[in-house]
């Protein structure tokens, strides 16, 4: 970060393009939280040798997948319900004791409690069984070439509408014959989880691919549910209501993910998730039959 080099980053006449390797542990929850990538990119552009310099991590990738995490989702809903119950008691008590009607603040209080209990992502250490489909890549970074604009999020640029995703969650006995039944589940779908991987490998960009030193033993940091505990864990975005998974049917989830910096704190991010769900079935000899298409659901989650 810039604060680690209070003079070098802005000093006139400081040496430039003189560094062979930059190593930095800048990654936050769901990769981007804490917004430390900006300073790293500026240091890279000023100090790293353009053709032969190496960045570690060298590449990072953000993943997103539907999950079943119903116990934790219900705890969050219960905490929200309890908070609103206590508020109702407070309103009645204040009115009967002091003659003051606090109900005028109800909508604002409700909004605050929803944001805190229901629309804030949660750190989790999920088991692999919680993941209900192959994860989708929502953004990847080549650390030798990514820009400050890239670090600002997903769906930030004018021509960027966010990351599209499609997931098929397979109910029991819904997989067509001859295909792997390993993803079949009783559900329900409780929400989504996000995590990242960080590669330590040779450069792949056009400028450094041939000129930079090669790594003989590349390695990978994986913060996903299939890799056990890490400091970063996974960020979980629970639905307000779970989506049931019906035996013999496929529940499809289609939507977009946007991730933008909070206006109140540039180190934090908000995630906007737009989602449509469809229930369908693969009928032998007839193909795909759609039973139900749900309405668009849109929620904005804070990553605190």
């Amino acid at each position: 970060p810039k604060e680690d080099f209070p003079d070098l980053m802005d000093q006139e006449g400081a040496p430039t393009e003189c560094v062979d390797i930059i190593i930095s542990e800048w990654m936050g929850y769901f990769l981007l939280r804490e917004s430390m990538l900006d300073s790293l990119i500026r240091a890279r552009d000023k100090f790293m040798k353009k053709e032969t310099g190496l960045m570690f991590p060298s590449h990072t990738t953000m993943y997103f997948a539907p999950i079943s995490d119903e116990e934790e989702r219900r705890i969050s809903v219960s905490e929200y319900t309890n908070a609103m119950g206590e508020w109702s008691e407070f309103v009645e008590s204040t009115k009967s004791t002091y003659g003051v009607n606090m109900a005028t603040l109800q909508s604002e209080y409700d909004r605050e409690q929803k944001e805190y209990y229901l629309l804030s992502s949660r750190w989790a250490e999920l088991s692999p069984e919680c993941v209900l489909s192959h994860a989708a890549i929502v953004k990847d970074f080549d650390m030798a070439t990514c820009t400050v604009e890239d670090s600002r999020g997903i769906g930030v640029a004018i021509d960027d509408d966010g990351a599209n995703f499609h997931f098929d969650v397979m109910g029991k006995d819904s997989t067509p014959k001859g295909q792997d039944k390993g993803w079949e589940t009783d559900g329900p779908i409780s929400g989504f989880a996000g995590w990242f991987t960080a590669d330590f490998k040779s450069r792949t960009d056009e400028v450094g691919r041939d000129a930079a030193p090669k790594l003989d033993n590349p390695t990978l940091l994986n913060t996903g549910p299939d890799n056990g505990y890490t400091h970063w864990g996974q960020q979980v975005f629970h639905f307000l209501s779970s989506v049931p998974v019906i035996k013999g049917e496929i529940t499809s989830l289609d939507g977009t993910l946007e991730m933008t910096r909070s206006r109140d704190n540039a180190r934090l991010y908000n995630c906007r998730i737009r989602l449509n769900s469809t229930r369908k079935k693969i009928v032998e000899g007839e193909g795909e039959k759609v039973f139900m298409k749900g309405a668009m659901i849109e929620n904005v989650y804070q990553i605190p």
Side-chain angles (χ1 to χ4, degrees):
K2 182 177 178 179
E3 53 267 27
D4 292 343
F5 307 95
D7 299 317
L8 272 180
M9 288 294 288
D10 299 314
Q11 189 180 73
E12 288 293 331
T16 60
E17 296 189 31
C18 59
V19 174
D20 293 307
I21 301 174
I22 296 178
I23 302 173
S24 177
E25 192 285 277
W26 56 269
M27 301 84 74
Y29 296 147
F30 202 13
L31 188 64
L32 294 180
R33 183 190 177 274
E34 296 183 51
S35 300
M36 294 192 290
L37 182 54
D38 300 33
S39 297
L40 179 64
I41 291 171
R42 292 188 177 98
R44 178 204 68 195
D45 290 346
K46 185 166 186 177
F47 299 115
M48 193 182 81
K49 295 178 180 178
K50 293 291 186 280
E51 295 185 0
T52 60
L54 298 173
M55 299 284 292
F56 295 123
S58 59
H59 303 75
T60 53
T61 305
M62 299 172 67
Y63 291 91
F64 194 65
I67 60 165
S68 186
D69 185 39
E70 200 59 11
E71 182 177 352
E72 290 300 318
R73 191 195 70 81
R74 287 177 176 171
I75 289 173
S76 296
V77 172
S78 177
E79 290 175 339
Y80 162 72
T81 302
N82 291 340
M84 293 309 299
E86 291 174 0
W87 168 258
S88 295
E89 292 180 7
F90 169 74
V91 170
E92 289 300 319
S93 174
T94 305
K95 187 175 182 179
S96 61
T97 304
Y98 303 106
V100 177
N101 187 0
M102 302 293 288
T104 187
L105 300 177
Q106 172 96 11
S107 60
E108 184 66 16
Y109 185 83
D110 180 64
R111 180 188 64 79
E112 290 179 351
Q113 302 313 301
K114 276 185 177 176
E115 287 182 352
Y116 182 77
Y117 289 111
L118 305 180
L119 295 175
S120 292
S121 64
R122 307 290 182 185
W123 185 96
E125 184 185 351
L126 298 171
S127 66
E129 293 74 24
C130 292
V131 181
L132 301 180
S133 180
H134 291 288
I137 294 175
V138 291
K139 188 155 187 171
D140 51 17
F141 296 85
D142 184 334
M143 301 309 301
T145 60
C146 63
T147 65
V148 171
E149 183 73 14
D150 292 329
S151 74
R152 289 175 180 156
I154 302 171
V156 176
I158 295 176
D159 58 347
D160 184 359
D161 296 324
N164 297 320
F165 58 79
H166 169 84
F167 301 109
D168 283 334
V169 179
M170 315 297 290
K172 293 292 187 181
D173 301 327
S174 66
T175 305
K177 289 182 179 180
Q179 296 187 20
D180 180 18
K181 293 180 177 288
W183 286 106
E184 289 189 348
T185 180
D186 292 320
I189 309 169
S190 306
F192 293 106
W195 64 89
F196 69 89
T197 60
D199 281 279
F200 297 75
K201 62 183 183 181
S202 303
R203 283 179 63 165
T204 58
D205 61 290
E206 187 175 348
V207 173
R209 184 170 52 234
D210 297 323
K214 298 293 187 289
L215 268 70
D216 295 328
N217 298 292
T219 191
L220 174 73
L221 167 67
N222 182 356
T223 67
D226 57 343
N227 204 52
Y229 172 81
T230 68
H231 156 77
W232 298 273
Q234 299 86 46
Q235 287 293 294
V236 170
F237 307 88
H238 286 132
F239 296 154
L240 302 188
S241 299
S242 60
V243 177
V245 178
I246 310 300
K247 182 178 180 179
E249 296 182 8
I250 302 168
T251 302
S252 293
L253 306 175
D254 293 274
T256 58
L257 169 70
E258 297 176 12
M259 188 173 176
T260 56
R261 286 181 177 166
S262 168
R263 293 180 179 178
D264 299 326
N265 187 339
R267 291 173 62 85
L268 306 181
Y269 283 79
N270 295 325
C271 282
R272 181 185 302 274
I273 299 174
R274 298 184 180 92
L275 173 69
N276 283 107
S277 62
T278 304
R279 282 174 41 215
K280 60 188 180 182
K281 187 173 185 177
I282 305 297
V283 180
E284 191 172 355
E286 299 181 30
E288 185 177 286
K289 293 185 68 174
V290 175
F291 297 117
M292 184 278 295
K293 287 187 176 181
M296 168 72 74
I297 298 172
E298 179 175 337
N299 287 310
V300 178
Y301 298 82
Q302 305 172 82
I303 303 181

